[in-house]
Amino acid sequence: MSVLLIEAFYGGSHKQLMDLLQEELQEDCVLCTLPAKKWHWKARTAALYFMQTVPTSTNYRILFASSVLNLAELAALRPDLGKLKKVLYFHENQLAYPVQKCQERDFQYGYNQILSWFMPEHKLAHLEKVIGVKRNGDAYQLEGLPGQQKSRALMKNSNAHRESGLCEAQPGLYTTQHEGLPSPLTAPVRLNKSEASESTNPCQEEDKQHLTFNLSNILSGRDYQQRPLHIAWPHRWEHDKDPETFFKVLLKLKEKDLPFHVSILGESFTEIPDIFSEAKKALGSSVLHWGYLPSKDDYFQALCMADVVISTAKHEFFGVAMVEAVHCGCYPLCPKALVYPEIFPAEYLYSTPEQLFKRLQNFCKRPDIVRKHLYKGETAGFSWAALGGKFRSLLAAEPREDL
Protein backbone atom coordinates (compact mmCIF):
# COMPACT_ATOMS: atom_id res chain seq x y z
CA MET A 1 0.00 0.00 0.00
CA SER A 2 2.06 2.90 -1.30
CA VAL A 3 -0.76 5.49 -1.33
CA LEU A 4 -2.23 6.93 1.86
CA LEU A 5 -5.67 8.48 1.28
CA ILE A 6 -6.90 10.87 4.00
CA GLU A 7 -10.34 12.48 4.00
CA ALA A 8 -11.39 14.55 7.01
CA PHE A 9 -14.94 15.03 5.70
CA TYR A 10 -15.96 11.70 4.23
CA GLY A 11 -19.22 12.55 2.51
CA GLY A 12 -20.66 13.94 -0.72
CA SER A 13 -18.15 14.64 -3.47
CA HIS A 14 -15.28 14.15 -0.99
CA LYS A 15 -16.40 10.56 -0.42
CA GLN A 16 -17.14 10.05 -4.08
CA LEU A 17 -13.58 10.90 -5.07
CA MET A 18 -11.93 8.86 -2.32
CA ASP A 19 -14.07 5.80 -3.00
CA LEU A 20 -13.20 5.93 -6.66
CA LEU A 21 -9.49 6.27 -5.97
CA GLN A 22 -9.66 3.39 -3.49
CA GLU A 23 -11.46 1.25 -6.05
CA GLU A 24 -8.86 2.13 -8.65
CA LEU A 25 -5.82 1.58 -6.41
CA GLN A 26 -7.27 -1.43 -4.58
CA GLU A 27 -4.53 -3.15 -2.56
CA ASP A 28 -2.06 -0.33 -3.16
CA CYS A 29 -3.74 2.15 -0.81
CA VAL A 30 -5.11 2.65 2.67
CA LEU A 31 -8.01 5.02 3.37
CA CYS A 32 -8.34 6.97 6.64
CA THR A 33 -11.47 9.07 7.17
CA LEU A 34 -13.63 11.09 9.53
CA PRO A 35 -17.44 11.27 9.20
CA ALA A 36 -19.03 14.08 7.19
CA LYS A 37 -20.34 15.94 10.24
CA LYS A 38 -19.38 19.19 11.97
CA TRP A 39 -17.21 20.41 9.12
CA HIS A 40 -15.68 23.26 11.10
CA TRP A 41 -14.45 20.97 13.86
CA LYS A 42 -12.98 18.59 11.31
CA ALA A 43 -11.04 21.44 9.73
CA ARG A 44 -9.67 22.49 13.12
CA THR A 45 -8.87 19.12 14.67
CA ALA A 46 -8.42 16.52 11.91
CA ALA A 47 -4.63 16.73 11.90
CA LEU A 48 -4.46 15.83 15.58
CA TYR A 49 -6.87 12.95 15.05
CA PHE A 50 -5.01 11.50 12.08
CA MET A 51 -1.68 11.92 13.86
CA GLN A 52 -2.94 9.33 16.32
CA THR A 53 -4.90 7.04 14.03
CA VAL A 54 -2.98 6.79 10.74
CA PRO A 55 -0.92 3.60 11.04
CA THR A 56 2.79 3.88 10.51
CA SER A 57 4.23 2.12 7.50
CA THR A 58 7.48 2.11 5.58
CA ASN A 59 5.52 1.36 2.42
CA TYR A 60 3.86 4.77 2.07
CA ARG A 61 5.13 6.82 -0.85
CA ILE A 62 2.23 9.21 -1.53
CA LEU A 63 -0.22 11.07 0.70
CA PHE A 64 -3.45 12.19 -1.00
CA ALA A 65 -5.82 14.41 1.01
CA SER A 66 -8.47 17.08 0.60
CA SER A 67 -7.93 20.61 1.88
CA VAL A 68 -10.29 20.11 4.82
CA LEU A 69 -7.19 18.67 6.47
CA ASN A 70 -4.54 21.13 7.69
CA LEU A 71 -1.69 19.37 5.97
CA ALA A 72 0.97 21.58 7.53
CA GLU A 73 -0.14 20.51 11.00
CA LEU A 74 -0.20 16.85 10.11
CA ALA A 75 3.27 17.01 8.57
CA ALA A 76 4.59 18.64 11.73
CA LEU A 77 2.86 16.15 14.01
CA ARG A 78 3.86 13.14 11.92
CA PRO A 79 7.31 13.75 10.37
CA ASP A 80 7.15 10.34 8.70
CA LEU A 81 4.14 11.51 6.68
CA GLY A 82 5.73 14.88 6.00
CA LYS A 83 8.43 13.14 3.98
CA LEU A 84 5.96 11.64 1.52
CA LYS A 85 5.04 12.97 -1.89
CA LYS A 86 1.88 14.91 -1.07
CA VAL A 87 -1.16 15.63 -3.22
CA LEU A 88 -3.71 18.12 -1.88
CA TYR A 89 -7.13 18.42 -3.50
CA PHE A 90 -9.11 21.64 -3.03
CA HIS A 91 -12.87 21.17 -3.15
CA GLU A 92 -13.48 24.80 -2.22
CA ASN A 93 -11.73 28.06 -1.36
CA GLN A 94 -12.33 29.09 2.24
CA LEU A 95 -11.11 32.61 1.51
CA ALA A 96 -14.10 33.16 -0.75
CA TYR A 97 -16.67 30.73 0.64
CA PRO A 98 -19.96 32.58 1.28
CA VAL A 99 -20.65 33.37 4.93
CA GLN A 100 -24.18 33.31 6.25
CA LYS A 101 -25.80 36.68 6.83
CA CYS A 102 -24.99 38.48 10.08
CA GLN A 103 -21.87 36.38 10.47
CA GLU A 104 -18.26 37.45 10.15
CA ARG A 105 -15.86 35.28 8.23
CA ASP A 106 -13.62 33.06 10.32
CA PHE A 107 -10.32 33.47 8.51
CA GLN A 108 -8.79 30.51 10.30
CA TYR A 109 -10.11 28.14 7.65
CA GLY A 110 -8.66 30.14 4.78
CA TYR A 111 -5.40 30.47 6.69
CA ASN A 112 -5.29 26.71 7.15
CA GLN A 113 -5.68 26.30 3.40
CA ILE A 114 -2.83 28.73 2.74
CA LEU A 115 -0.54 26.82 5.08
CA SER A 116 -1.56 23.56 3.46
CA TRP A 117 -1.08 25.14 0.05
CA PHE A 118 2.64 25.55 0.66
CA MET A 119 3.09 22.03 1.96
CA PRO A 120 2.30 19.52 -0.79
CA GLU A 121 4.36 18.61 -3.75
CA HIS A 122 1.09 18.35 -5.65
CA LYS A 123 -1.79 20.69 -5.02
CA LEU A 124 -4.93 19.51 -6.72
CA ALA A 125 -7.74 21.88 -6.96
CA HIS A 126 -9.88 20.38 -9.60
CA LEU A 127 -7.38 19.48 -12.21
CA GLU A 128 -7.09 21.56 -15.23
CA LYS A 129 -3.72 21.86 -16.71
CA VAL A 130 -2.05 19.36 -14.51
CA ILE A 131 -4.67 16.84 -15.29
CA GLY A 132 -5.70 18.66 -18.34
CA VAL A 133 -8.94 17.73 -19.87
CA LYS A 134 -9.66 19.61 -22.93
CA ARG A 135 -11.53 22.53 -21.76
CA ASN A 136 -15.24 21.90 -22.11
CA GLY A 137 -15.91 24.26 -19.34
CA ASP A 138 -14.34 22.71 -16.35
CA ALA A 139 -13.28 19.68 -18.22
CA TYR A 140 -9.72 19.89 -19.20
CA GLN A 141 -7.09 18.14 -21.20
CA LEU A 142 -4.06 16.69 -19.59
CA GLU A 143 -0.94 18.61 -20.40
CA GLY A 144 1.41 16.89 -18.02
CA LEU A 145 2.73 17.95 -14.67
CA PRO A 146 4.63 21.21 -14.47
CA GLY A 147 8.35 20.92 -14.04
CA GLN A 148 9.11 23.87 -11.84
CA GLN A 149 10.04 21.75 -8.87
CA LYS A 150 10.77 18.11 -8.55
CA SER A 151 7.31 16.91 -7.67
CA ARG A 152 5.25 20.02 -7.45
CA ALA A 153 1.97 20.07 -9.31
CA LEU A 154 -0.96 22.28 -8.64
CA MET A 155 -4.45 21.20 -9.49
CA LYS A 156 -7.06 23.86 -9.14
CA ASN A 157 -10.71 23.94 -9.75
CA SER A 158 -11.15 26.58 -12.32
CA ASN A 159 -10.41 30.10 -13.43
CA ALA A 160 -13.05 31.17 -10.94
CA HIS A 161 -11.05 29.42 -8.23
CA ARG A 162 -7.88 31.21 -9.23
CA GLU A 163 -9.64 34.57 -9.41
CA SER A 164 -11.16 34.09 -5.97
CA GLY A 165 -7.80 34.57 -4.30
CA LEU A 166 -6.38 31.26 -3.15
CA CYS A 167 -4.27 30.72 -6.22
CA GLU A 168 -2.51 34.03 -5.81
CA ALA A 169 -0.93 32.72 -2.63
CA GLN A 170 1.82 31.16 -4.69
CA PRO A 171 1.80 32.80 -8.12
CA GLY A 172 4.94 31.05 -9.29
CA LEU A 173 3.20 27.71 -9.43
CA TYR A 174 1.64 26.38 -12.57
CA THR A 175 -2.03 26.44 -11.75
CA THR A 176 -4.57 23.99 -12.95
CA GLN A 177 -8.27 23.53 -13.01
CA HIS A 178 -10.88 20.87 -12.96
CA GLU A 179 -12.20 18.23 -10.75
CA GLY A 180 -13.66 15.94 -13.33
CA LEU A 181 -16.50 13.74 -12.25
CA PRO A 182 -15.12 11.82 -9.31
CA SER A 183 -17.35 8.88 -10.06
CA PRO A 184 -17.95 6.98 -13.27
CA LEU A 185 -20.99 8.23 -15.13
CA THR A 186 -23.16 5.18 -14.81
CA ALA A 187 -26.33 6.65 -16.21
CA PRO A 188 -26.66 6.25 -19.97
CA VAL A 189 -26.44 9.31 -22.13
CA ARG A 190 -29.85 10.68 -22.97
CA LEU A 191 -29.79 14.08 -24.56
CA ASN A 192 -32.92 13.89 -26.70
CA LYS A 193 -35.85 13.29 -24.41
CA SER A 194 -38.32 13.15 -27.27
CA GLU A 195 -37.12 9.58 -27.73
CA ALA A 196 -38.31 8.62 -24.26
CA SER A 197 -41.78 7.65 -25.43
CA GLU A 198 -40.18 5.05 -27.70
CA SER A 199 -38.79 3.20 -24.68
CA THR A 200 -35.25 3.40 -26.01
CA ASN A 201 -33.70 4.73 -22.82
CA PRO A 202 -32.98 2.16 -20.11
CA CYS A 203 -32.34 4.96 -17.65
CA GLN A 204 -35.94 6.01 -17.99
CA GLU A 205 -37.65 2.77 -18.82
CA GLU A 206 -36.05 0.15 -16.55
CA ASP A 207 -37.39 -0.61 -13.10
CA LYS A 208 -39.52 2.47 -12.66
CA GLN A 209 -41.50 0.61 -10.04
CA HIS A 210 -38.35 0.18 -7.96
CA LEU A 211 -37.72 3.87 -7.41
CA THR A 212 -37.79 4.84 -3.76
CA PHE A 213 -40.08 7.75 -4.56
CA ASN A 214 -43.43 7.79 -6.32
CA LEU A 215 -43.38 8.87 -9.94
CA SER A 216 -46.45 6.89 -10.96
CA ASN A 217 -48.67 9.94 -11.39
CA ILE A 218 -46.18 11.46 -13.78
CA LEU A 219 -45.07 8.41 -15.66
CA SER A 220 -48.55 7.32 -16.68
CA GLY A 221 -51.50 8.98 -18.33
CA ARG A 222 -50.79 11.92 -20.59
CA ASP A 223 -48.34 11.78 -23.42
CA TYR A 224 -44.79 12.38 -22.30
CA GLN A 225 -44.48 15.66 -24.19
CA GLN A 226 -47.63 17.04 -22.58
CA ARG A 227 -46.68 16.40 -18.98
CA PRO A 228 -45.69 19.39 -16.85
CA LEU A 229 -42.11 20.53 -16.92
CA HIS A 230 -40.05 18.58 -14.38
CA ILE A 231 -37.41 20.69 -12.59
CA ALA A 232 -34.60 19.13 -10.55
CA TRP A 233 -32.49 20.76 -7.84
CA PRO A 234 -29.81 18.21 -6.80
CA HIS A 235 -27.76 20.28 -4.35
CA ARG A 236 -26.88 20.35 -0.67
CA TRP A 237 -29.49 22.05 1.47
CA GLU A 238 -27.12 24.78 2.58
CA HIS A 239 -26.80 28.52 2.21
CA ASP A 240 -23.96 28.52 -0.35
CA LYS A 241 -26.29 26.85 -2.86
CA ASP A 242 -28.70 29.81 -2.46
CA PRO A 243 -31.97 27.86 -2.14
CA GLU A 244 -33.77 31.14 -1.40
CA THR A 245 -33.31 32.39 -4.95
CA PHE A 246 -34.31 29.04 -6.39
CA PHE A 247 -37.54 28.77 -4.41
CA LYS A 248 -38.46 32.42 -5.02
CA VAL A 249 -38.36 31.71 -8.74
CA LEU A 250 -40.47 28.57 -8.35
CA LEU A 251 -43.04 30.34 -6.19
CA LYS A 252 -43.29 33.05 -8.80
CA LEU A 253 -44.04 30.36 -11.39
CA LYS A 254 -46.64 28.96 -9.02
CA GLU A 255 -48.26 32.37 -8.58
CA LYS A 256 -48.72 32.60 -12.33
CA ASP A 257 -50.38 29.17 -12.40
CA LEU A 258 -47.70 27.73 -14.63
CA PRO A 259 -47.61 23.90 -14.60
CA PHE A 260 -44.45 22.24 -13.35
CA HIS A 261 -43.15 19.53 -11.04
CA VAL A 262 -40.05 19.78 -8.90
CA SER A 263 -37.71 17.22 -7.34
CA ILE A 264 -35.46 18.42 -4.52
CA LEU A 265 -32.77 15.74 -4.42
CA GLY A 266 -29.91 17.19 -2.41
CA GLU A 267 -28.56 16.10 0.94
CA SER A 268 -29.52 17.89 4.14
CA PHE A 269 -27.55 18.20 7.37
CA THR A 270 -28.19 19.28 10.96
CA GLU A 271 -29.02 22.89 10.14
CA ILE A 272 -31.55 23.24 7.33
CA PRO A 273 -32.42 26.72 6.02
CA ASP A 274 -36.00 27.70 6.91
CA ILE A 275 -36.85 28.25 3.26
CA PHE A 276 -37.08 24.50 2.65
CA SER A 277 -40.03 23.85 4.95
CA GLU A 278 -41.70 27.06 3.82
CA ALA A 279 -41.27 26.25 0.14
CA LYS A 280 -42.46 22.66 0.48
CA LYS A 281 -45.73 23.86 1.96
CA ALA A 282 -46.16 26.65 -0.58
CA LEU A 283 -45.36 24.47 -3.60
CA GLY A 284 -47.87 21.83 -2.55
CA SER A 285 -48.83 19.43 -5.32
CA SER A 286 -46.00 20.69 -7.55
CA VAL A 287 -43.55 18.73 -5.41
CA LEU A 288 -42.75 15.37 -6.97
CA HIS A 289 -39.94 14.33 -4.64
CA TRP A 290 -38.47 15.96 -1.55
CA GLY A 291 -35.31 14.65 0.03
CA TYR A 292 -32.01 12.93 -0.40
CA LEU A 293 -31.81 9.67 -2.37
CA PRO A 294 -29.03 7.56 -0.84
CA SER A 295 -29.17 5.06 -3.69
CA LYS A 296 -27.12 6.25 -6.67
CA ASP A 297 -29.33 4.20 -8.99
CA ASP A 298 -32.47 5.91 -7.71
CA TYR A 299 -30.74 9.27 -7.90
CA PHE A 300 -29.77 8.79 -11.54
CA GLN A 301 -33.27 7.51 -12.30
CA ALA A 302 -34.70 10.71 -10.84
CA LEU A 303 -32.36 12.86 -12.92
CA CYS A 304 -33.31 10.90 -16.02
CA MET A 305 -36.98 11.69 -15.36
CA ALA A 306 -36.33 15.44 -15.02
CA ASP A 307 -36.31 17.96 -17.85
CA VAL A 308 -34.36 20.89 -16.41
CA VAL A 309 -31.67 21.06 -13.73
CA ILE A 310 -31.08 24.35 -11.93
CA SER A 311 -28.15 25.81 -10.04
CA THR A 312 -28.37 29.02 -8.03
CA ALA A 313 -25.04 28.46 -6.27
CA LYS A 314 -22.97 31.29 -4.86
CA HIS A 315 -19.80 29.19 -4.62
CA GLU A 316 -18.87 26.43 -7.04
CA PHE A 317 -15.57 25.13 -8.35
CA PHE A 318 -16.96 22.37 -10.49
CA GLY A 319 -20.48 21.18 -9.77
CA VAL A 320 -20.60 17.40 -10.06
CA ALA A 321 -24.39 17.32 -9.66
CA MET A 322 -24.96 19.62 -12.63
CA VAL A 323 -22.74 17.62 -14.97
CA GLU A 324 -24.30 14.35 -13.81
CA ALA A 325 -27.76 15.78 -14.51
CA VAL A 326 -26.76 16.92 -17.99
CA HIS A 327 -25.33 13.49 -18.64
CA CYS A 328 -28.73 12.10 -17.68
CA GLY A 329 -30.44 14.33 -20.22
CA CYS A 330 -31.40 17.44 -18.25
CA TYR A 331 -31.28 20.93 -19.74
CA PRO A 332 -28.98 22.96 -17.44
CA LEU A 333 -29.61 26.51 -16.26
CA CYS A 334 -26.69 27.96 -14.29
CA PRO A 335 -25.46 31.36 -13.13
CA LYS A 336 -23.24 33.18 -15.57
CA ALA A 337 -20.54 33.20 -12.90
CA LEU A 338 -18.21 31.00 -10.89
CA VAL A 339 -17.02 27.95 -12.83
CA TYR A 340 -20.13 27.52 -14.96
CA PRO A 341 -19.03 29.54 -18.03
CA GLU A 342 -16.04 27.19 -18.24
CA ILE A 343 -18.29 24.14 -18.39
CA PHE A 344 -21.53 25.12 -20.11
CA PRO A 345 -22.15 26.96 -23.39
CA ALA A 346 -23.64 30.46 -23.12
CA GLU A 347 -27.22 29.45 -23.86
CA TYR A 348 -27.39 27.54 -20.57
CA LEU A 349 -26.35 30.53 -18.44
CA TYR A 350 -28.43 33.26 -16.83
CA SER A 351 -27.30 36.54 -15.25
CA THR A 352 -30.20 37.40 -12.92
CA PRO A 353 -33.05 35.61 -11.14
CA GLU A 354 -35.40 37.42 -13.51
CA GLN A 355 -33.68 35.80 -16.48
CA LEU A 356 -33.95 32.41 -14.80
CA PHE A 357 -37.66 32.99 -14.23
CA LYS A 358 -38.26 33.95 -17.86
CA ARG A 359 -36.45 30.87 -19.14
CA LEU A 360 -38.45 28.59 -16.86
CA GLN A 361 -41.67 30.41 -17.70
CA ASN A 362 -41.13 29.65 -21.37
CA PHE A 363 -40.25 26.04 -20.62
CA CYS A 364 -43.36 25.59 -18.47
CA LYS A 365 -45.46 26.75 -21.41
CA ARG A 366 -43.52 24.62 -23.87
CA PRO A 367 -41.81 21.69 -22.10
CA ASP A 368 -41.34 20.01 -25.46
CA ILE A 369 -38.61 22.57 -26.18
CA VAL A 370 -36.25 21.07 -23.60
CA ARG A 371 -37.37 17.50 -24.23
CA LYS A 372 -36.39 17.75 -27.86
CA HIS A 373 -33.25 19.75 -27.18
CA LEU A 374 -29.83 18.31 -28.00
CA TYR A 375 -27.24 19.46 -25.48
CA LYS A 376 -24.57 21.53 -27.22
CA GLY A 377 -21.79 20.93 -24.72
CA GLU A 378 -19.79 17.84 -23.82
CA THR A 379 -19.64 15.62 -20.75
CA ALA A 380 -17.47 12.72 -21.87
CA GLY A 381 -14.29 14.47 -20.79
CA PHE A 382 -15.41 14.31 -17.17
CA SER A 383 -15.86 10.55 -17.04
CA TRP A 384 -13.47 8.24 -15.26
CA ALA A 385 -12.71 6.65 -18.62
CA ALA A 386 -11.21 9.98 -19.64
CA LEU A 387 -9.60 10.93 -16.32
CA GLY A 388 -8.58 7.63 -14.74
CA GLY A 389 -5.25 7.42 -16.48
CA LYS A 390 -4.37 10.95 -15.46
CA PHE A 391 -5.03 10.19 -11.82
CA ARG A 392 -2.99 7.02 -12.08
CA SER A 393 -0.06 8.98 -13.49
CA LEU A 394 -0.38 11.59 -10.79
CA LEU A 395 -0.39 8.96 -8.06
CA ALA A 396 2.51 7.01 -9.50
CA ALA A 397 4.78 6.27 -6.56
CA GLU A 398 8.04 8.15 -6.32
CA PRO A 399 10.79 7.30 -3.85
CA ARG A 400 11.02 9.48 -0.76
CA GLU A 401 13.97 11.82 -0.60
CA ASP A 402 15.38 10.02 2.42
CA LEU A 403 15.33 6.59 0.74
Side-chain angles (χ1 to χ4, degrees):
M1 51 182 183
S2 65
V3 180
L4 172 61
L5 303 174
I6 297 181
E7 179 51 67
F9 194 79
Y10 188 56
S13 60
H14 294 234
K15 181 179 185 299
Q16 201 173 8
L17 176 59
M18 288 298 182
D19 287 352
L20 187 58
L21 291 177
Q22 186 179 35
E23 179 183 346
E24 179 68 22
L25 297 169
Q26 296 184 4
E27 300 297 326
D28 196 36
C29 73
V30 59
L31 174 63
C32 299
T33 67
L34 278 168
K37 297 179 180 178
K38 304 295 183 183
W39 181 92
H40 296 89
W41 277 108
K42 299 298 167 53
R44 291 186 187 277
T45 64
L48 185 61
Y49 172 82
F50 288 121
M51 175 203 75
Q52 302 172 74
T53 59
V54 171
T56 58
S57 173
T58 58
N59 294 323
Y60 297 149
R61 295 294 182 274
I62 301 168
L63 189 163
F64 184 103
S66 77
S67 60
V68 175
L69 172 69
N70 187 326
L71 190 56
E73 287 184 351
L74 182 63
L77 293 168
R78 285 284 299 271
D80 59 318
L81 302 182
K83 295 176 182 179
L84 304 178
K85 168 184 171 180
K86 294 171 287 295
V87 179
L88 187 65
Y89 192 98
F90 287 79
H91 285 268
E92 73 286 314
N93 179 355
Q94 287 300 322
L95 293 174
Y97 195 82
V99 296
Q100 298 190 54
K101 55 185 178 181
C102 303
Q103 176 182 329
E104 293 185 3
R105 179 181 302 281
D106 186 340
F107 284 100
Q108 182 65 49
Y109 305 112
Y111 178 69
N112 287 354
Q113 285 194 326
I114 291 175
L115 291 180
S116 296
W117 182 270
F118 284 97
M119 281 299 302
E121 291 71 28
H122 297 262
K123 307 183 180 81
L124 319 186
H126 289 71
L127 323 156
E128 181 187 329
K129 292 175 182 171
V130 167
I131 265 203
V133 203
K134 192 162 193 171
R135 173 177 166 173
N136 290 318
D138 207 38
Y140 313 89
Q141 53 214 121
L142 192 100
E143 300 177 3
L145 298 179
Q148 292 173 305
Q149 285 183 226
K150 180 181 167 192
S151 50
R152 186 173 286 276
L154 173 56
M155 298 164 109
K156 289 220 199 61
N157 269 354
S158 62
N159 290 328
H161 175 91
R162 181 165 60 249
E163 293 166 3
S164 65
L166 185 56
C167 300
E168 283 86 340
Q170 198 159 343
L173 290 177
Y174 186 89
T175 60
T176 65
Q177 329 161 212
H178 168 95
E179 174 172 321
L181 282 184
S183 69
L185 292 174
T186 56
V189 177
R190 176 171 58 89
L191 299 182
N192 186 349
K193 293 200 174 191
S194 64
E195 299 173 0
S197 59
E198 301 175 10
S199 300
T200 58
N201 179 15
C203 185
Q204 187 173 49
E205 297 302 324
E206 288 184 1
D207 298 327
K208 291 175 186 172
Q209 69 275 20
H210 295 138
L211 295 181
T212 58
F213 54 98
N214 183 10
L215 287 173
S216 59
N217 292 333
I218 299 227
L219 298 176
S220 60
R222 289 170 290 173
D223 179 78
Y224 179 78
Q225 299 297 343
Q226 296 179 350
R227 292 177 184 132
L229 184 75
H230 184 178
I231 301 168
W233 196 79
H235 311 288
R236 284 182 288 104
W237 295 19
E238 294 185 306
H239 72 282
D240 62 299
K241 301 303 182 183
D242 196 8
E244 287 81 6
T245 293
F246 173 71
F247 286 123
K248 284 179 182 177
V249 170
L250 290 196
L251 292 174
K252 191 173 179 181
L253 295 173
K254 188 81 170 176
E255 290 172 3
K256 294 187 175 294
D257 294 322
L258 292 166
F260 68 90
H261 287 109
V262 62
S263 290
I264 306 300
L265 304 172
E267 187 172 6
S268 61
F269 298 92
T270 304
E271 296 182 9
I272 299 176
D274 294 339
I275 187 63
F276 282 92
S277 59
E278 298 167 4
K280 183 178 181 182
K281 181 178 180 180
L283 290 170
S285 61
S286 295
V287 174
L288 173 60
H289 177 74
W290 195 272
Y292 178 62
L293 290 172
S295 165
K296 234 0 180 181
D297 289 340
D298 289 346
Y299 174 68
F300 283 134
Q301 289 274 9
L303 291 179
C304 284
M305 300 300 179
D307 299 308
V308 179
V309 61
I310 308 294
S311 172
T312 47
K314 295 179 179 178
H315 189 78
E316 192 67 83
F317 284 173
F318 178 62
V320 172
M322 291 298 293
V323 177
E324 285 178 334
V326 169
H327 187 76
C328 289
C330 292
Y331 186 106
L333 288 174
C334 315
K336 191 177 181 180
L338 308 172
V339 72
Y340 294 121
E342 300 177 46
I343 301 176
F344 300 104
E347 74 172 273
Y348 306 110
L349 308 176
Y350 64 87
S351 298
T352 65
E354 290 72 26
Q355 288 183 5
L356 175 60
F357 168 76
K358 289 179 180 178
R359 297 291 299 278
L360 289 176
Q361 178 179 239
N362 291 336
F363 292 160
C364 286
K365 294 177 179 178
R366 290 284 309 280
D368 59 297
I369 293 176
V370 292
R371 289 169 185 160
K372 295 177 180 178
H373 178 76
L374 293 176
Y375 178 63
K376 295 181 175 60
E378 187 59 64
T379 61
F382 300 105
S383 69
W384 187 247
L387 295 176
K390 288 133 184 156
F391 270 98
R392 285 189 291 272
S393 297
L394 180 70
L395 296 178
E398 296 178 1
R400 298 184 303 189
E401 295 180 0
D402 62 328
L403 295 181

